[in-house]
Amino acid sequence: MKIMAGNSNLPLARAIAGYLELPLTDASVRRFADEEVFVEIHENVRGEDVFVLQSTSFPANDNLMELLICIDALRRASARRITAVVPYFGYARQDRKPGPRTPISAKLVANLITEAGADRVLSVDLHAGQIQGFFDIPTDNLYGAPVMATDIHTRYAGLDLMVVSPDVGGVVRARALAKRLDNAPLAIVDKRRDRPGQSEVMNIIGEVKGRMCILIDDIIDSGGTLCNAAQALMDAGASGVSAYISHGVLSGGAVARVEASALKELVITDSILPTDAATDAKKIRILSIAPLIGEAIRRIADESSVSSLFD
């Protein structure tokens, strides 16, 4: 087994390699003067089971091309099996046609990864579960809920917890976390989105008064939805609001928005390399999912069960 990394999130790749007690494969992923991506592998990978770690986060197109070219280089070097480990799967929010004459870009990206030569895909908290069906190769979708639940148990033990979904679409994810928190009660924020990046909270479904609310979602981008939801929960009488998010995209002024919000704390995973602003923010804390991904890689390499990780 070999572990190879692109440039999108080297600290996470090193942490996963450390968990597996393996060195990262000696390879160069660099740019020509015109920004073309060039990959060169400096050790023999013939007949090896190779895992390529690369999140397709900002800059999404550059990181996606790095992933594709890494896979192609490994295929041409006769690797036995190539697994694309994509902790954050970019373009996942384009998983359907929201209107006429629009693309389903998540399917296009799935086709590109498959055609490049990947034999398997491993990701974390896909935006929509059906994206697994966009691939014609085996796809494992890991869940961050066990890592988050352990952290919540540690930090909020003894409090009257309520798990809150910031929209109707996230109820399944929120229910799964609530089950891990000793069947904590569930609430839903009913919101109306007029255009991308802007939302208006309409109503809180559930009794949150006097309870410590845990908002759960897969992606925080601009932060508007989450901050509005936190304020609505506080207005409804919640004793406090913290948020646990799998992928901290945090584009534009999101970090400043979170710092100025009613949130007590925002917890994100390191599926995306955090910016300096996110690392320095007082309200933002980062959980590592390196052990989760590392254990999944070990089980795939050993041909043992991955789903039993979440039992």
Side-chain angles (χ1 to χ4, degrees):
M1 176 171 63
K2 287 186 180 291
I3 308 293
M4 182 177 172
N7 291 322
S8 71
N9 197 342
L10 283 171
L12 177 61
R14 293 188 188 108
I16 292 169
Y19 177 87
L20 293 168
E21 299 180 341
L22 288 172
L24 288 175
T25 298
D26 185 12
S28 301
V29 183
R30 58 182 189 269
R31 300 286 194 279
F32 288 129
D34 63 351
E35 293 300 308
E36 279 187 12
V37 177
F38 177 72
V39 173
E40 187 175 8
I41 303 166
H42 301 301
E43 59 184 83
N44 183 28
V45 296
R46 184 181 296 273
E48 294 280 0
D49 192 1
V50 186
F51 293 82
V52 187
L53 286 115
Q54 178 82 333
S55 280
T56 51
S57 49
F58 176 84
N61 299 330
D62 287 359
N63 286 331
L64 176 59
M65 282 305 300
E66 276 192 18
L67 174 63
L68 298 175
I69 294 171
C70 284
I71 292 170
D72 185 70
L74 290 165
R75 179 171 62 90
R76 294 175 189 279
S78 301
R80 178 174 60 86
R81 181 173 66 174
I82 303 164
T83 301
V85 183
V86 191
Y88 171 67
F89 185 80
Y91 287 97
R93 286 172 283 182
Q94 298 183 51
D95 62 323
R96 63 193 183 282
K97 284 173 66 75
R101 296 171 295 282
T102 55
I104 304 179
S105 303
K107 171 59 176 168
L108 172 62
V109 171
N111 288 346
L112 288 169
I113 292 171
T114 304
E115 288 300 316
D119 298 295
R120 191 180 195 98
V121 172
L122 177 65
S123 193
V124 179
D125 279 330
L126 286 168
H127 181 64
Q130 65 265 24
I131 292 174
Q132 294 174 81
F134 292 179
F135 289 91
D136 295 323
I137 54 178
T139 306
D140 291 301
N141 181 30
L142 304 181
Y143 302 102
V147 178
M148 294 175 181
T150 300
D151 188 76
I152 293 167
H153 273 302
T154 302
R155 297 183 71 87
Y156 300 106
L159 295 181
D160 187 7
L161 295 179
M162 174 168 265
V163 177
V164 183
S165 173
D167 53 36
V168 175
V171 171
V172 173
R173 185 180 296 107
R175 189 182 294 122
L177 179 64
K179 186 177 179 181
R180 290 182 179 275
L181 297 176
D182 305 320
N183 288 315
L186 190 66
I188 304 167
V189 179
D190 172 38
K191 75 174 192 300
R192 180 174 299 165
R193 187 186 296 274
D194 296 323
R195 49 185 170 275
Q198 294 187 8
S199 65
E200 179 185 354
V201 173
M202 302 298 290
N203 193 26
I204 305 293
I205 303 171
E207 182 53 61
V208 301
K209 188 173 183 180
R211 287 182 162 133
M212 178 67 204
C213 292
I214 306 293
L215 278 162
I216 175 74
D217 209 351
D218 63 321
I219 296 172
I220 175 171
D221 190 351
S222 65
T225 296
L226 203 69
C227 294
N228 288 348
Q231 188 59 58
L233 290 167
M234 292 301 293
D235 292 345
S239 62
V241 183
S242 290
Y244 281 74
I245 311 293
S246 301
H247 309 298
V249 177
L250 295 171
S251 57
V255 172
R257 198 170 287 117
V258 168
E259 288 287 88
S261 73
L263 282 170
K264 178 180 179 181
E265 185 180 45
L266 167 65
V267 182
I268 57 176
T269 74
D270 55 355
S271 64
I272 297 173
L273 182 66
T275 62
D276 291 340
T279 304
D280 296 339
K282 293 179 181 178
K283 286 189 177 182
I284 298 177
R285 186 163 56 87
I286 299 160
L287 282 179
S288 179
I289 52 170
L292 175 68
I293 297 175
E295 186 57 33
I297 288 173
R298 190 198 306 279
R299 293 184 182 207
I300 290 170
D302 292 344
E303 303 291 351
S304 57
S305 172
V306 173
S307 61
S308 61
L309 267 172
F310 308 104
D311 291 342

